[in-house]
């Protein structure tokens, strides 16, 4: 059986689909992945149609995060006009809003897709699509008749799943009205991959025990539970041995919500094997309460170069009451101290544009962030009210948010307010300047505004890139070869950040494309 797995993401890092495709092929079926970046056209591109006709899949899967809901709806409409193959939707948005998604697809997959999709292919092979499948985790829409199957429990033994490749030879993508095999045109793959394809994204665990109000996990725990499921060190290292063969992979980006959730024993073994067999710089994510000195220094010694740590706000009130995140700023200070001491590059994530925040909260956040030990770098994300989260439920009840806002706006596109600019500059300008500028609107003069605007313009183009370069070089232990390759591999993303203040130009284009489609295809958005 042949299964075509489509991603509408604006970038080529499709971990979930790569995991599914690997399992489908491992179980004796065929799978191809097709990236249609931000595809939102009135008609199906002839190249896409030709590619699907030639492959002639028995099943078409579409993966979607919430932001891709309209593109998925549109693509499903276009595919139905031309092909008979049944269509299954899967991904975070489907898991969170199954009833809504089942209106458009023949099948939807709630939760993880690796085993579910294999069972569905086997059902289609042996019984055909006219017989309704009874597979846990799959809901069926048979000409309007809805059948909801029980949940498919998440896979506890992650080691039984096949490895995720960096660039599988069955990965294709649409580029300027033609379909390319990415493995045969790696330059094109790198054009769409995040950070110019210099990193391999990987998870050593699945799940997160926290239920922060703004995070999809505050809903997903209902499906996956709170337990963190862990891969063995051997499984991770063996996957990476394959990945490392591609000379373009410069570093490994571990996307686990908190890498420090691994116990000491696991980390000790990991560090020893990683250093011996992989020896590439790597990035991990940390939750301040879980950052541990011994683990941090162990990882640093094994090649850890960047730690991404969510701080979200400097105000304990907002963290505790609004975000339901029990991380006092005193703990953040302690964790930040450790990061600076270890000389890894600290990258802090903050949430802004929160309608629940008062001016006092914003000022408190800026004040606290300016106290953090330097050097550090920072990223700001717009508070997006994703469906199903605790905070969204509250905001919808209180009618303070447009229920559709998450469909049209990217988290990276922040409001250009006075406080956002000042917060952004906290790591880069002298502390004695922050204090007098950190004033409520009523007390600000034209001088404050002009000074903040010009400092922001200047800092973004000079001090920020310099600090980035410095912390990264230091995180890479001043290794000339690694630094040079990282800079060369990332110069485009770096330049985009300096010029436009966001991480991916393609994300921004996707945002604009949605706005255009809204005008061109009003029916789709009803
Ligand atoms: C790595 C990651 C990324 C990576 C790679 C994404 C990817 N597709 O692999 C990058 C950096 C590109 C990314 C970008 C964004 N991300 Co992100 N990301 C993650 C993260 C940390 C891990 C995802 C992952 O690899 N999971 C492991 C795999 C195995 O799981 P999975 O992807 O969910 O896929 C499984 C199932 O969902 C299902 N499945 C998925 N697709 C399909 C399709 C079919 C047909 C079937 C049957 C099943 C199926 O089976 C898969 C295998 O089990 C998650 C948080 C988390 N811990 O899950 C956030 C998360 C998915 N991201 C999120 C968001 C918001 C974004 C952005 C919108 C942020 C932004 N920039 O504004 C962008 C979207 C970019 C875009 N449209 O191009 C949210 C999504 C919330 C929502 N309701 O949609 C999450 C859940 C974070 C959160 N906690 O809120 N992200």
């Amino acid at each position: 059986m042949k299964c075509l797995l489509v991603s509408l993401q604006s970038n080529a890092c499709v971990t979930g689909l790569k995991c599914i495709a690997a399992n489908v092929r491992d179980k004796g079926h065929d799978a191809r992945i097709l990236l249609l970046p931000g595809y939102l056209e009135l008609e199906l591109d002839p190249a896409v149609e030709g590619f699907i006709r030639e492959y002639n899949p028995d099943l078409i899967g579409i993966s979607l995060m919430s932001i891709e809901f309209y593109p998925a709806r549109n693509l499903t409409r276009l595919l139905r006009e031309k092909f008979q193959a049944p269509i299954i939707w899967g991904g975070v948005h489907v898991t969170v809003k199954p009833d809504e998604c089942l209106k458009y697809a023949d099948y939807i997959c709630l939760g993880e897709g690796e085993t579910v999709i294999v069972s569905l292919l086997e059902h289609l092979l042996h019984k055909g699509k006219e017989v309704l499948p009874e597979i846990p985790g799959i809901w069926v829409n048979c000409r309007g008749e809805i059948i909801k199957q029980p949940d498919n429990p998440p896979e506890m033994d992650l080691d039984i799943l096949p490895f995720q490749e960096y660039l599988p030879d069955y990965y294709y993508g649409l580029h300027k009205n033609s379909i390319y095999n990415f493995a045969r045109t790696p330059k094109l793959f790198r054009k769409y991959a995040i950070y110019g394809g210099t990193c391999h994204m990987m998870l050593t665990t699945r799940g997160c025990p926290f239920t922060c109000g703004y995070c999809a996990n505050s809903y997903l725990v209902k499906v996956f539970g709170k337990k963190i499921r862990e891969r063995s060190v051997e499984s991770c290292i063996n996957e990476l041995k394959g990945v490392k063969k591609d000379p373009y992979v410069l570093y490994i980006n571990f996307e686990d919500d908190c890498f420090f959730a691994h116990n000491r024993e696991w980390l000790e073994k990991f560090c020893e094997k990683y250093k011996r067999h992989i020896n590439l710089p790597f990035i991990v994510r940390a939750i301040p309460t879980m950052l541990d000195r011994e683990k941090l220094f162990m990882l640093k010694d094994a090649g850890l170069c960047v730690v991404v740590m969510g701080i979200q706000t400097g105000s304990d009130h907002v963290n505790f009451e609004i975000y339901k995140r029990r991380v006092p700023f005193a703990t953040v200070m302690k964790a930040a101290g450790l990061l600076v001491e270890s000389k890894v590059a600290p990258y802090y994530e903050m949430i802004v544009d929160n309608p629940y925040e008062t001016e006092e909260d914003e000022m408190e956040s800026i004040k606290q962030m300016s106290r953090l030990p330097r050097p550090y770098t920072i990223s700001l994300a717009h508070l997006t009210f994703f469906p199903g989260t605790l905070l969204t439920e509250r905001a919808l009840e209180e009618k303070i948010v447009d229920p559709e806002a998450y469909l049209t706006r990217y988290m990276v596109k922040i409001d250009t307010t006075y406080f956002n600019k000042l917060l952004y500059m906290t790591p880069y300008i002298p502390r004695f300047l922050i204090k007098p500028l950190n004033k409520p609107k009523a007390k600000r003069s034209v001088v404050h505004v002009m000074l903040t605007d010009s400092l922001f313009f200047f800092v973004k183009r000079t001090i920020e890139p310099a600090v980035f370069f410095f912390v990264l070089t230091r995180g890479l232990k001043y290794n000339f070869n690694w630094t040079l390759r990282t800079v060369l591999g990332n110069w485009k993303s770096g330049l985009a950040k300096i010029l436009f203040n966001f991480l991916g130009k393609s994300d921004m284009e996707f945002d604009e494309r949605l706005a255009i489609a809204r005008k061109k295809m009003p029916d789709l958005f009803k």
Side-chain angles (χ1 to χ4, degrees):
M1 296 295 272
K2 289 187 280 184
C3 173
L4 178 67
L5 297 164
V6 185
S7 170
L8 293 152
Q9 238 176 248
S10 49
N11 68 68
C13 300
V14 292
T15 312
L17 284 189
K18 284 202 263 172
C19 292
I20 297 177
N23 201 43
V24 166
R25 294 172 74 96
D26 189 58
K27 301 294 173 296
H29 301 284
D30 194 60
R32 282 187 185 179
I33 302 174
L34 176 63
L35 178 74
L36 302 177
Y39 197 77
L40 199 46
E41 306 300 323
L42 263 171
E43 311 228 331
L44 197 63
D45 196 297
V48 179
E49 187 182 341
F51 173 79
I52 302 179
R53 233 171 254 300
E54 180 267 318
Y55 184 49
N56 193 20
D58 301 289
L59 178 68
I60 301 178
I62 301 179
S63 180
L64 54 148
M65 291 190 212
S66 296
I67 186 88
E68 286 129 16
F69 172 67
Y70 283 123
R73 213 173 128 177
N74 185 49
L75 180 68
T76 306
R77 173 182 68 86
L78 297 176
L79 292 175
R80 286 223 196 280
E81 287 169 8
K82 309 269 181 186
F83 302 99
Q84 299 295 319
I87 297 175
I88 179 166
W89 282 19
V92 180
H93 188 69
V94 179
T95 307
V96 176
K97 297 205 95 181
D99 288 294
E100 177 186 82
C101 294
L102 195 56
K103 288 183 198 154
Y104 308 101
D106 298 301
Y107 313 112
I108 57 163
C109 164
L110 282 86
E112 292 174 354
E114 287 96 339
T115 53
V116 165
I117 211 149
V118 172
S119 307
L120 183 59
L121 285 170
E122 267 150 29
H123 169 89
L124 292 171
L125 173 66
H126 298 296
K127 300 188 178 154
K129 65 176 176 182
E130 292 312 315
V131 181
L132 301 183
E134 286 180 30
I135 301 167
I138 289 194
W139 289 10
V140 186
N141 178 352
C142 179
R143 292 181 276 274
E145 190 193 338
I146 304 294
I147 295 145
K148 299 181 178 180
Q149 306 289 358
D151 290 350
N152 180 39
E155 182 55 67
M156 290 319 244
D157 182 6
L158 297 177
D159 284 0
I160 65 164
L161 298 174
F163 297 146
Q164 186 216 145
E165 288 174 69
Y166 165 69
L167 178 50
D169 57 14
Y170 46 86
Y171 191 179
Y172 297 79
L174 175 70
H175 175 71
K176 291 191 180 160
N177 308 97
S178 295
I179 301 281
Y180 293 88
N181 177 298
F182 276 153
R184 274 184 247 131
T185 50
K187 251 191 172 168
L188 201 59
F189 166 72
R190 295 197 282 267
K191 181 178 158 48
Y192 285 100
I194 203 159
Y195 310 129
T198 47
C199 68
H200 175 68
M201 300 240 188
M202 170 172 180
L203 286 135
T204 61
T205 55
R206 286 190 191 177
C208 171
F210 298 100
T211 50
C212 305
Y214 50 82
C215 174
N217 205 49
S218 63
Y219 181 92
L220 294 175
V221 284
K222 293 184 204 162
V223 181
F224 297 115
K226 283 194 170 184
K227 191 173 161 25
I228 297 184
R229 291 165 288 142
E230 187 179 61
R231 287 173 66 177
S232 68
V233 170
E234 288 74 16
S235 159
C236 299
I237 298 295
N238 286 338
E239 174 170 321
L240 289 176
K241 278 183 187 166
V243 165
K244 205 196 157 180
K245 286 187 190 138
D246 192 307
Y248 212 79
V249 178
L250 299 186
Y251 59 102
I252 308 299
N253 192 341
F254 291 104
E255 287 279 347
D256 305 57
D257 290 309
C258 186
F259 201 80
F260 289 85
H262 287 297
N263 64 27
R264 236 193 81 186
E265 208 187 340
W266 190 99
L267 284 172
E268 240 165 26
K269 198 166 161 192
F270 170 83
C271 290
E272 186 266 314
K273 288 192 185 298
Y274 188 91
K275 236 171 125 174
R276 186 139 49 95
H277 300 290
I278 313 302
N279 201 26
L280 288 175
F282 64 97
I283 298 177
V284 302
R285 273 147 195 79
I287 296 167
T289 41
M290 287 178 133
L291 199 81
D292 171 281
R293 181 174 229 282
E294 202 182 341
K295 291 179 182 176
L296 176 66
F297 278 85
M298 209 152 63
L299 289 166
K300 166 77 183 163
D301 180 58
L304 175 65
C305 64
V306 179
V307 172
V308 180
M309 187 165 80
I311 295 179
Q312 320 309 1
T313 166
S315 151
D316 281 354
H317 154 71
V318 176
N319 238 339
F320 281 60
E321 307 303 325
I322 315 291
Y323 295 154
K324 308 287 177 213
R325 196 172 189 263
R326 315 226 147 261
V327 184
F329 201 79
T331 309
V332 171
M333 280 295 278
K334 233 167 103 188
L338 283 178
L339 292 179
V340 169
E341 188 192 332
S342 73
K343 296 193 169 53
V344 298
Y347 186 76
Y348 301 141
E349 296 185 324
M350 305 292 290
I351 298 176
V352 294
D353 308 337
N354 175 352
Y356 284 106
E357 262 182 346
T358 61
E359 274 197 324
E360 286 70 43
D361 293 326
E362 289 185 89
M363 284 164 60
E364 172 71 4
S365 207
I366 292 165
K367 183 178 143 200
Q368 296 294 5
M369 287 303 287
S370 70
R371 289 174 53 223
L372 284 181
R374 293 177 181 183
Y376 67 94
T377 54
I378 191 170
S379 93
L380 310 188
H382 172 81
L383 174 62
T384 309
F385 288 88
F386 281 110
T389 65
L390 285 173
L391 191 57
T392 303
E393 294 302 305
R394 171 177 170 184
L396 285 176
E397 216 168 89
E398 293 168 0
K399 297 197 171 34
I400 71 150
V401 63
D402 165 7
E404 293 244 309
Y406 68 87
L407 292 165
T408 48
R409 176 164 177 163
Y410 262 84
M411 286 158 86
V412 281
K413 200 169 145 191
I414 59 166
D415 293 342
T416 46
T417 63
Y418 180 87
F419 280 138
N420 281 355
K421 288 179 192 163
L422 198 53
L423 180 63
Y424 196 91
M425 292 191 291
T426 50
Y428 313 118
I429 58 173
R431 290 186 174 100
F432 68 80
L433 266 179
I434 298 173
K435 209 172 162 197
L437 289 175
N438 196 12
K439 281 198 182 325
K441 196 168 182 194
K443 292 195 179 161
R444 269 177 236 151
S445 67
V446 187
V447 179
H448 290 107
V449 178
M450 278 173 58
L451 189 58
T452 302
D453 280 351
S454 24
L455 272 174
F456 183 70
F457 183 86
F458 174 75
V459 161
K460 275 205 62 58
R461 285 153 187 85
T462 54
I463 307 176
E464 189 198 12
V467 173
F468 247 93
F469 184 72
F470 169 67
V471 290
L472 192 73
T473 316
R474 199 180 60 166
L476 293 168
K477 299 179 185 159
Y478 302 107
N479 181 312
F480 179 75
N481 184 22
W482 276 348
T483 308
L484 187 71
R485 291 174 69 197
T486 309
V487 170
L488 290 177
N490 284 289
W491 72 270
K492 272 190 194 159
S493 343
L495 201 64
K497 197 164 158 45
I498 293 170
L499 293 177
F500 307 109
N501 187 25
F502 57 83
L503 285 173
K505 194 161 180 288
S506 51
D507 285 350
M508 207 66 163
E509 283 165 358
F510 186 24
D511 212 19
E512 282 155 14
R513 219 174 291 177
L514 268 170
I516 295 169
R518 219 167 238 276
K519 286 191 192 130
K520 273 201 319 205
M521 302 184 258
D523 279 355
L524 182 74
F525 292 87
K526 272 185 189 153

